[in-house]
């Protein structure tokens, strides 16, 4: 009557310890394996686009059309070049005026200069939605509905 | 190796070991695990230099997002800002259902895929940061949302697969 409860305690403790060690070993094994990245569906072409090799047959272009296109391409590239140069110039002027302002500030007061150079903690996170082609309609009544997330969940 | 391909070595001849070159190449580091902890860079420093910053671009249109990410990457290269990585986050798919006017059944309207690209930069100076933001904003295409934030471990963990077994065991342990 006295020996039995003692046995139970020992056996239970041993069993529990053995279980814990087994779990720890499993955890260590799983942790050893490197975690994998989720595969990105954008980069996997769907098989239906790999199968058939049907080629589009375009009509032949007249020489005037070809010339028109070439001249248009040249005008477009020139326009884009001017745009790009204007952007680079804008960056340079921004940086230059910033440096000039900081120089003046330094001459004015050292404290303010040091405070101005410090990084802005409130800058990040910065969020901005892209512009839209058309503004939202003022009196639009959308139908009721819902949006469900059907992304494929990958597990390791 | 040239030494191993011919079956006689001619060790007494001066041409022994001719063709060996692997010992001249720099030693390659062993293949690291994918679970690399990111570098927590110069976050301290009252002056200049933010740490790792993520520029995340999201949109429903994949071409626009990829082109914009390419543009931002090339812009950073041009302005000699160090780009750590430029990667894509997993695509999210949403099913939009709407209630028909006459009837109680939900009808499928569309299946939308949201694409996200991230450009990670490091070492942005505090004076230049607002300028960079201005330029990126001015080139932002329609429908592409911009989010600029500091890189955290949670952002990195979002790219990894979930491990339910490991989580279960850990929950059982504690």
């Amino acid at each position: 009557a006295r020996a039995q409860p003692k046995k139970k305690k020992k056996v239970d403790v041993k069993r529990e310890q053995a279980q814990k060690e087994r779990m720890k070993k499993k955890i260590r094994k799983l942790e050893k394996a490197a975690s994998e990245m989720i595969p990105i569906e954008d980069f996997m072409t769907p098989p239906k686009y790999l199968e058939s090799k049907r080629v589009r047959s375009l009509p032949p272009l007249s020489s005037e059309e070809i010339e028109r296109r070439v001249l248009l391409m040249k005008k477009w590239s020139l326009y884009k070049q001017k745009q790009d140069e204007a952007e680079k110039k804008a960056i340079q002027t921004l940086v230059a005026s910033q440096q000039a302002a900081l120089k003046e500030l330094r001459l004015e007061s050292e404290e303010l200069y040091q405070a101005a150079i410090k990084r802005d903690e409130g800058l990040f996170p910065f969020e901005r939605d892209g512009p839209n082609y058309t503004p939202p309609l003022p009196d639009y009544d959308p139908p009721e509905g819902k949006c469900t997330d059907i992304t494929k969940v990958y597990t390791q | 190796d040239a030494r191993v391909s011919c079956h006689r070595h001619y060790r007494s001849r001066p041409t022994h070991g001719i063709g060996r070159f692997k010992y001249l190449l720099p030693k390659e580091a062993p293949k690291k695990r994918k679970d690399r902890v990111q570098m927590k860079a110069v976050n301290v420093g009252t002056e200049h230099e933010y740490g790792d910053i993520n520029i995340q671009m999201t949109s429903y249109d994949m071409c626009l997002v990829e082109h914009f990410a390419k543009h931002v990457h090339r812009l950073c290269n041009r302005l000699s800002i160090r780009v750590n990585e430029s990667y894509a986050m997993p695509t999210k798919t949403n099913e939009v259902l709407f209630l028909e006017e006459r009837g109680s059944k939900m009808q499928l309207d569309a299946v939308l895929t949201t694409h996200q690209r991230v450009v990670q930069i490091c070492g942005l100076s505090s004076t230049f940061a607002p300028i960079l933001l201005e330029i990126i904003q001015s080139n932002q295409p329609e429908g592409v949302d911009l989010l600029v934030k500091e890189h955290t471990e949670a952002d990195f963990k979002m790219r990894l697969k979930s491990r339910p077994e490991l989580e279960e065991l850990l929950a059982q342990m504690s």
Side-chain angles (χ1 to χ4, degrees):
Chain A
R2 277 183 195 174
Q4 279 175 345
K6 275 189 190 173
K7 275 187 197 167
K8 274 187 190 169
K9 278 184 195 170
K10 276 186 192 171
V11 164
D12 278 342
V13 162
K14 273 189 187 174
R15 270 193 199 167
E16 273 180 39
Q17 275 180 356
Q19 264 184 351
K20 273 191 181 177
E21 272 184 42
R22 263 179 270 154
M23 293 231 296
K24 277 185 191 172
K25 269 195 179 175
K26 274 191 200 170
I27 288 175
R28 250 178 273 161
K29 240 193 173 177
L30 284 174
E31 277 180 351
K32 249 194 183 177
S35 38
E36 294 167 25
M37 301 265 202
I38 301 179
I40 295 171
E41 291 155 16
D42 294 347
F43 300 154
M44 307 188 301
T45 41
K48 68 172 185 177
Y49 298 125
L50 298 168
E51 276 174 28
S52 60
K53 292 186 181 175
R54 41 177 214 168
V55 181
R56 199 192 284 191
S57 58
L58 296 163
L61 297 166
S62 60
S63 56
E64 294 135 351
E65 182 66 27
I66 295 173
E67 215 179 295
R68 187 189 79 99
R69 286 187 190 188
V70 163
L71 287 171
L72 191 64
M73 191 60 87
K74 282 184 182 270
K75 280 188 213 167
W76 175 250
S77 54
L78 188 71
Y79 169 75
K80 271 302 204 184
Q81 188 193 35
K82 291 270 183 315
Q83 208 182 45
D84 195 41
E85 270 174 44
E87 197 182 82
K88 285 185 190 171
K89 212 172 165 189
I91 299 172
Q92 278 172 357
T93 44
L94 273 174
V95 170
S97 55
Q98 205 182 43
Q99 291 299 317
L102 283 172
K103 237 190 205 176
E104 289 296 315
L105 186 64
R106 191 160 211 183
L107 292 171
E108 274 290 321
S109 87
E110 188 66 35
E111 270 184 31
L112 289 174
Y113 173 75
Q114 290 299 329
I117 281 215
K118 278 190 197 170
R119 44 182 267 188
D120 189 5
E121 302 298 333
L123 191 56
F124 304 116
F126 173 79
E127 205 175 331
R128 188 197 179 214
D129 287 343
N132 300 308
Y133 279 111
T134 50
L137 294 170
D139 295 323
Y140 179 58
D141 185 27
E144 284 186 25
K146 65 175 179 193
C147 206
T148 46
D149 193 5
I150 50 170
T151 348
K152 189 174 169 187
V153 176
Y154 292 91
T155 48
Q156 189 173 6
Chain B
D1 300 284
R3 215 156 52 98
V4 179
S5 58
C6 86
H7 62 109
R8 291 193 59 192
H9 287 235
Y10 298 96
R11 276 176 281 189
S12 55
R13 303 296 167 114
T15 54
H16 174 69
I18 199 168
R20 268 182 79 205
F21 67 92
K22 278 241 169 106
Y23 68 100
L24 292 168
L25 294 172
K27 286 237 168 111
E28 274 175 18
K31 188 184 170 187
K32 288 168 196 163
R33 279 195 208 169
K34 275 185 191 169
D35 189 13
R36 286 188 62 195
V37 187
Q38 0 70 354
M39 319 183 284
K40 271 280 172 176
V42 192
N43 275 318
V44 193
T46 51
E47 205 173 337
H48 60 144
E49 311 227 357
Y50 294 89
D52 290 341
I53 284 180
N54 279 1
I55 305 177
Q56 294 175 336
M57 296 155 273
T58 356
S59 175
Y60 295 115
D61 187 355
M62 182 161 77
C63 300
L64 273 184
V65 130
E66 291 211 328
H67 282 241
F68 189 46
K70 182 172 156 186
H71 174 77
V72 164
H73 197 311
R74 291 176 103 193
L75 187 78
C76 293
N77 284 352
R78 199 168 16 117
L79 301 169
S80 29
I81 300 173
R82 193 185 142 190
V83 175
N84 285 348
E85 286 189 279
S86 171
Y87 53 87
M89 294 291 278
T91 327
K92 295 186 191 160
T93 327
N94 278 321
E95 217 179 40
V96 181
L97 306 149
F98 71 94
L99 192 64
E100 278 182 72
E101 284 177 31
R102 293 177 193 180
S104 55
K105 204 172 70 168
M106 284 285 198
Q107 202 192 50
L108 179 68
D109 196 17
V111 177
L112 298 171
T113 48
T114 312
H115 308 264
Q116 191 177 47
R117 300 283 181 273
V118 181
V119 176
Q120 200 182 97
I121 51 179
C122 177
L124 188 65
S125 66
S126 61
T127 46
F128 195 68
I131 298 179
L132 182 70
L133 281 177
E134 272 297 315
I135 300 164
I136 295 179
Q137 273 182 82
S138 65
N139 287 322
Q140 203 178 345
E142 296 86 4
V144 176
D145 303 335
L146 183 71
L147 171 62
V148 185
K149 61 192 273 279
E150 286 163 352
H151 185 62
T152 53
E153 215 175 304
D155 292 322
F156 181 69
K157 294 250 160 85
M158 290 248 299
R159 297 169 73 188
L160 302 172
K161 287 187 187 172
S162 64
R163 303 173 100 176
E165 307 144 343
L166 188 62
E167 281 165 27
E168 245 187 74
L169 285 173
L170 283 168
Q172 273 181 12
M173 275 287 293
S174 55

